[in-house]
Amino acid sequence: MSKRELDILKMARPSIRSLKPYASAKDEFKDFDQELIYLDANENPYENGLNRYPDPHQLELKQRISQIKKVPVENMLLGNGSDEILDMIYRVFFEPAQENIIINTPTFGMFKVLAGINNVGCTEVLMTDDFQLDVASIKKAVNNDTKAIFICSPNNPTGNVIAETAILALLELDVLVVVDEAYIDFSDTSSWSLRLKDYNNLIVTQTFSKAYGLAGIRLGACFANTEIIELLKKVKMPYNVNVLTQRTALKYLENEKLREQEIFEIKENRNKLSKAILKIGFVKKVYASDSNFILVKVDDANKRYGQLIDKELVIRNRTNQPLCENCIRITVGTPEENKFLLKSMAYLDADKMID
Ligand SMILES: *Cc1c(COP(=O)(O)O)cnc(C)c1O
């Protein structure tokens, strides 16, 4: 029994609640372990390793992810990147041109873009100066048509983890709380996905694009109460995670030790890079990061961005984001890349003194 029992079914769009989902050939008959002759899906019968549709339930992959993430298979939904999962959340729960979400700016841009795509209202609440949630203002912004609050923790582009107390306060409201944990593997805090039992209004998304080094295969995961997962499954395209992705993910997820080593190194390099960047004259502030990137306040972000491009270094200019005036976001690279970045920044620093 969860501590928090929101009527999830009532929150879904009536059209989705009553929707009879498509049943694929692989749905109607799913005994994959048996050697049978499959003449049910109009596939080309000549085996080439890719002529069959993927498992629409991605069971083997989910079982492996379940072992790694310690979340039961029935609380999991996989998507073509976590972007697809976020989009599904809008399509299941939000009546277009009527209902709204709340986001906390500055944050991940896709929350607002997906709201726009789905014609869902998006109320932006400004974070506090230290990039935490302004819970009082969020509560004021909630109205009868607010169905969810989107939180990114660790937050992109600021890099920090969002305080547990703030998220707990929001979980007490009559809304869904979506926590995007794209960078959770770089932080020392544990995932909200381990607390699904306590909050049936909690939805956690993660991705294999960042810490897992698999951005190219497009794989994201959603962890939530089974009622939410079942609703999302209704709108999920039958074969949204393709054979190549499932196969490749299974192969790469065999070696957790290697991944842990990479994450350890990225965190070490992040800490080294943060310290070194602080010594650059035009750097005003380096924000603490629980992610694989750092937010840096400089004297003139537009100018420094252009200068670094000239040095063949591409970073992200975030100066137009609220609270991020003159900030750039830098992804932690390899030690060689980080060294090149520092050298280039030091060179620009010296340059400034000459002119
Ligand atoms: C990169 C990123 C994602 C994108 O994840 P995909 O699984 O690649 O779609 C989602 N959320 C945040 C906050 C990100 O920074």
Side-chain angles (χ1 to χ4, degrees):
M1 207 47 186
S2 35
K3 272 196 234 164
R4 187 73 179 82
E5 288 286 347
L6 203 64
D7 190 340
I8 298 296
L9 271 181
K10 226 172 97 186
M11 293 197 83
R13 293 166 67 191
S15 57
I16 300 298
R17 230 182 300 155
S18 59
L19 176 79
K20 188 175 179 305
Y22 176 74
S24 69
K26 292 245 187 310
D27 269 315
E28 309 235 299
F29 194 90
K30 46 187 155 194
D31 192 354
F32 288 102
D33 293 334
Q34 271 199 69
E35 287 288 323
L36 300 168
I37 296 169
Y38 288 98
L39 302 176
D40 61 343
N42 300 346
E43 296 152 334
N44 180 322
Y46 299 107
E47 292 295 337
N48 64 9
L50 290 169
N51 59 316
R52 300 293 176 184
Y53 277 108
D55 170 10
H57 308 288
Q58 310 107 12
L59 194 57
E60 198 184 347
L61 180 53
K62 278 184 187 162
Q63 283 166 343
R64 181 69 190 116
I65 294 172
S66 173
Q67 286 173 337
I68 295 169
K69 297 288 180 184
K70 313 276 185 271
V71 177
V73 167
E74 63 266 27
N75 293 108
M76 193 184 302
L77 180 103
L78 302 182
N80 183 1
S82 52
D83 287 346
E84 187 197 22
I85 292 167
L86 293 171
D87 185 58
M88 276 188 233
I89 295 170
Y90 289 85
R91 286 191 288 140
V92 164
F93 290 103
F94 291 84
E95 217 46 76
Q98 186 181 322
E99 296 177 325
N100 69 73
I101 61 160
I102 292 175
I103 63 170
N104 302 278
T105 44
T107 195
F108 184 46
M110 281 302 279
F111 298 156
K112 189 177 176 180
V113 171
L114 287 167
I117 291 170
N118 289 287
N119 199 9
V120 165
C122 179
T123 305
E124 298 183 48
V125 174
L126 198 63
M127 285 183 155
T128 60
D129 286 338
D130 54 350
F131 300 133
Q132 287 296 330
L133 303 186
D134 179 350
V135 175
S137 298
I138 295 172
K139 283 183 175 171
K140 264 188 235 148
V142 172
N143 62 31
N144 288 337
D145 293 318
T146 304
K147 277 232 178 109
I149 300 168
F150 280 68
I151 297 161
C152 187
S153 181
N155 188 40
N156 179 3
T158 60
N160 60 297
V161 163
I162 301 301
E164 181 184 2
T165 47
I167 297 180
L168 286 175
L170 300 181
L171 281 164
E172 296 302 326
L173 304 176
D174 291 334
V175 295
L176 299 168
V177 175
V178 181
V179 186
D180 181 333
E181 292 186 335
Y183 301 96
I184 190 68
D185 300 291
F186 298 108
S187 99
D188 298 323
T189 53
S190 61
S191 168
W192 282 90
S193 64
L194 303 177
R195 304 173 73 158
L196 297 175
K197 276 202 180 67
D198 295 335
Y199 303 96
N200 78 337
N201 55 334
L202 172 63
I203 302 178
V204 179
T205 62
Q206 291 187 10
T207 178
F208 291 85
S209 301
K210 309 284 161 59
Y212 282 81
L214 294 171
I217 70 170
R218 310 303 301 128
L219 181 65
C222 171
F223 307 116
N225 169 280
T226 52
E227 272 185 310
I228 292 175
I229 295 294
E230 291 308 314
L231 283 163
L232 292 170
K233 278 184 185 169
K234 281 180 134 187
V235 308
K236 177 185 97 59
M237 292 300 153
Y239 304 115
N240 67 326
V241 182
N242 70 65
V243 169
L244 294 172
T245 295
Q246 292 191 41
R247 220 179 264 162
T248 311
L250 275 166
K251 190 176 131 224
Y252 278 83
L253 294 181
E254 269 172 27
N255 195 347
E256 273 298 282
K257 283 270 170 302
L258 175 66
R259 186 189 62 83
E260 280 164 21
Q261 181 59 31
E262 281 178 0
I263 291 173
F264 178 80
E265 281 173 28
I266 290 169
K267 283 159 73 174
E268 289 241 307
N269 295 336
R270 170 193 72 200
N271 298 343
K272 270 190 223 161
L273 185 63
S274 296
K275 266 194 203 137
I277 284 185
L278 200 52
K279 299 208 180 92
I280 304 288
F282 63 77
V283 166
K284 303 294 167 205
K285 182 168 183 174
V286 178
Y287 292 89
S289 171
D290 302 298
S291 320
N292 67 332
F293 58 84
I294 37 184
L295 190 72
V296 178
K297 195 185 267 302
V298 296
D299 56 348
D300 182 342
N302 293 333
K303 173 175 154 192
R304 300 305 176 185
Y305 176 78
Q307 286 177 326
L308 288 170
I309 295 263
D310 291 340
K311 301 229 161 278
E312 300 181 341
L313 271 161
V314 188
I315 54 154
R316 201 96 152 101
N317 185 355
R318 298 281 79 181
T319 191
N320 292 329
Q321 298 268 307
L323 305 178
C324 293
E325 197 186 2
N326 283 321
C327 284
I328 53 177
R329 194 194 70 192
I330 303 172
T331 308
V332 179
T334 63
E336 296 72 34
E337 290 170 336
N338 301 338
K339 215 163 121 187
F340 183 72
L341 170 77
L342 284 168
K343 228 174 81 182
S344 306
M345 288 176 98
Y347 178 85
L348 295 176
D349 224 16
D351 236 22
K352 188 180 145 227
M353 280 154 52
I354 295 162
D355 63 41

